[in-house]
Amino acid sequence: MVEMRTAVLVLALLAIAGGAYYYFQLGGGPPAASAKNGTAILLSAVDAAAGVTTYVLVSGTSIDGAEPIVAHMVAKGESARVDINDSVGVLRSMYFLPDGDYICLPERKVCAEVEKNTTSLKLRNVMGYARGQIVKTNVTAVNDWINKKVIDVEPGTVERMFAGRRCEEIKYVVHLDLLSSEEIRGAGYDLSAAPYVRREITECLDAGAGFALHKLLNETLLGQSRIIELNVSKFEPRAEVKESEFALVGELASEQTYLANDDAEIERKSCMRLPTEVGRTECFKQKAVGNNDATYCGFVEGDLERDLCHLLLLPEWKNAAGCATLTYLKDDCYYEAALRFENSTLCGLVGGADRREACTTIFEGNATACLALTLADECTVALAGRLGDATICNQIRNATLRDRCLNTNEG
């Protein structure tokens, strides 16, 4: 599955070279010939996009036939937020605010401020991808690139309809190898790769609003080709945007903490994509135990199975505080925790009378007293294990439990 970060390097230039790129379902209608000039259409779109100060955009991306990356973006003045749901279903929110750039995992309520000099390639790529959704254009810069043939536009255009809006389709090639290092850095590119990138772009520009309603990008990077298709599904060029839409979702943490949560979120989503609840539940349990991380249990759908997941982690607990969070197996939890932590006071928190009585009897250390209980065999098994005395196992009535108790405690 292609992840969002794999597409980033190939997209950052487009925010400068065409207003911005936006996408989703293609509209219908036959093409109509146009006498307009492709370069003029591009420059007109760039100029129009520079005047757009508030807008809402919903878009989707298909990369080499992979499942789409879906983006929802709102912008107002110097503030913008881009919500991206990537191909494995991980939701990330990027905030570009006057006081800095941030990335958040809304479902985990954790954010990190991303500095321009961050060493994390993953964060640089994700932020670059999101930044490419924002309309910030410079007619002078685009003119300069056209004059230098960095952007080489075919003269003709074709009129089309996409997402219910009319647009002019143009074709052009971008040659990053003709840029200086300073210009490449200014465009947000990785200097090690950018000079080897060639892009053939077909896009249908809504020249009046400065947005690409459809884009087909065929790029060659170090000899490998990739096709990316971008389509607009919703576009409001002058929308009502609330200031509250730019409030960070989550507590600020270090980049390292954020990245650890990001990796865990990707891992969690790998379970959520399984087709059956049973499969998802077992997947979460395995990850909870394998990572000794109870947060995976929180994503189990059924209350009973969620409790069982938490109990699997009890051997690693430091105390019995986690028992209070359970729904159906709270008594079992306090009972097991009492034995685990050698804490008889926890027996008093066991709600069921039979289980509470067995718990208390085990701590009394009297094997004969177990025989009078409703849970006689359970009491005996636990007491034999607590004392390490295999002879106590002989009073167990159930043959299977008796054999298991003897095998466990002999030697």
Side-chain angles (χ1 to χ4, degrees), residues 194-245:
Y196 304 98
V197 178
R198 170 189 167 91
R199 293 175 177 78
E200 297 178 359
I201 300 169
T202 300
E203 64 182 355
C204 205
L205 288 168
D206 181 335
F211 284 78
L213 301 181
H214 176 257
K215 182 182 294 289
L216 189 64
L217 183 149
N218 188 347
E219 62 134 12
T220 302
L221 173 61
L222 303 178
Q224 294 186 341
S225 294
R226 173 163 40 198
I227 295 176
I228 299 175
E229 188 172 359
L230 315 167
N231 305 285
V232 70
S233 62
K234 177 184 178 184
F235 171 43
E236 299 175 40
R238 285 171 179 79
E240 289 292 328
V241 177
K242 300 176 182 178
E243 293 298 330
S244 60
E245 297 186 70

Side-chain angles (χ1 to χ4, degrees), residues 6-189:
T6 64
V8 175
L9 181 63
V10 303
L11 297 175
L13 175 64
L14 302 182
I16 298 173
Y21 49 88
Y22 306 101
Y23 34 89
F24 193 75
Q25 61 198 32
L26 278 69
S34 173
K36 298 175 183 177
N37 177 271
T39 301
I41 291 295
L42 176 58
L43 290 173
S44 175
V46 173
D47 186 47
V52 176
T53 58
T54 63
Y55 59 98
V56 173
L57 179 75
V58 179
S59 54
T61 307
S62 175
I63 304 171
D64 294 343
E67 291 189 27
I69 296 167
V70 178
H72 179 277
M73 208 268 290
V74 296
K76 182 175 184 179
E78 294 301 312
S79 299
R81 190 193 81 228
V82 185
D83 297 325
I84 294 178
N85 209 326
D86 75 3
S87 57
V88 295
V90 175
L91 175 64
R92 301 179 182 91
S93 293
M94 276 60 64
Y95 296 83
F96 302 96
L97 308 175
D99 64 341
D101 296 344
Y102 303 86
I103 184 169
C104 300
L105 287 169
E107 293 183 53
R108 287 182 172 257
K109 293 183 170 58
V110 60
C111 302
E113 183 174 5
V114 183
E115 305 289 346
K116 288 182 171 58
N117 60 348
T118 178
T119 58
S120 167
L121 178 62
K122 180 177 182 178
L123 283 181
R124 290 204 310 270
N125 285 347
V126 171
M127 296 299 283
Y129 182 96
R131 194 175 286 110
Q133 310 293 307
I134 301 169
V135 179
K136 288 187 178 180
T137 62
N138 185 319
V139 178
T140 302
V142 175
N143 253 317
D144 183 47
W145 286 21
I146 289 173
N147 291 334
K148 292 180 178 178
K149 291 297 183 180
V150 175
I151 299 175
D152 187 9
V153 188
E154 290 187 9
T157 70
V158 177
E159 190 176 277
R160 294 186 184 276
M161 290 289 294
F162 286 101
R165 297 175 71 98
R166 192 173 300 281
C167 57
E168 293 284 345
E169 183 179 271
I170 64 172
K171 297 181 181 181
Y172 58 95
V173 178
V174 180
H175 303 275
L176 292 183
D177 54 311
L178 299 179
L179 290 175
S180 68
S181 296
E182 183 179 351
E183 289 171 319
I184 290 173
R185 275 194 295 267
Y189 281 88

Side-chain angles (χ1 to χ4, degrees), residues 270-286 301:
S270 69
C271 290
M272 294 185 73
R273 293 172 65 82
L274 296 176
T276 66
E277 182 178 341
V278 172
R280 292 190 294 272
T281 295
E282 289 308 308
C283 180
F284 282 128
K285 285 181 179 178
Q286 290 174 16
E301 294 157 60

Side-chain angles (χ1 to χ4, degrees), residues 275-309:
T276 66
E277 182 178 341
V278 172
R280 292 190 294 272
T281 295
E282 289 308 308
C283 180
F284 282 128
K285 285 181 179 178
Q286 290 174 16
K287 290 187 182 298
V289 173
N291 295 284
N292 187 27
D293 185 350
T295 59
Y296 288 105
C297 297
F299 303 121
V300 173
E301 294 157 60
D303 289 339
L304 178 59
E305 290 295 335
R306 191 181 308 118
D307 284 1
L308 287 170
C309 180

